[in-house]
Amino acid sequence: MRGIKVVSRQEYDEEIEGKIQKLTKYAYITQKDLSEIIGCSSATVKTELNKLGVESNCFGWPTIKVINVLGLQPYLDNLIKLRKSCRA
């Protein structure tokens, strides 16, 4: 059980809300934000998106394309369900 970080409900809610906002609020997502959402290094994100043919520009990667190519829609749906259940 070492390495498990205990967080308060408020911190947990803020983390979920932050991930939902990053995936839905803007038309483009940055490499840093995407790496935090997925939970891997920035270099891995860039390498994988390049392999999958998703091109970035000065704003980042097109969020909707990233969601579709990486199959993040079920993940986003689960985050939204979790947010609703926490608030109920």
Side-chain angles (χ1 to χ4, degrees), residues 37-53:
I37 291 167
I38 296 172
C40 64
S41 74
S42 290
T44 303
V45 166
K46 185 174 183 177
T47 303
E48 290 304 312
L49 288 175
N50 286 339
K51 282 183 193 175
L52 295 170

Side-chain angles (χ1 to χ4, degrees), residues 11-57:
E11 288 175 310
Y12 187 69
D13 289 348
E14 287 173 2
E15 181 180 340
I16 291 170
E17 190 63 33
K19 288 181 178 183
I20 292 171
Q21 289 292 323
K22 288 174 185 175
L23 284 171
T24 60
K25 192 170 184 178
Y26 300 108
Y28 291 91
I29 190 163
T30 65
Q31 186 172 337
K32 180 181 179 260
D33 286 344
L34 194 54
S35 68
E36 289 174 5
I37 291 167
I38 296 172
C40 64
S41 74
S42 290
T44 303
V45 166
K46 185 174 183 177
T47 303
E48 290 304 312
L49 288 175
N50 286 339
K51 282 183 193 175
L52 295 170
V54 182
E55 294 183 22
S56 66
N57 60 24

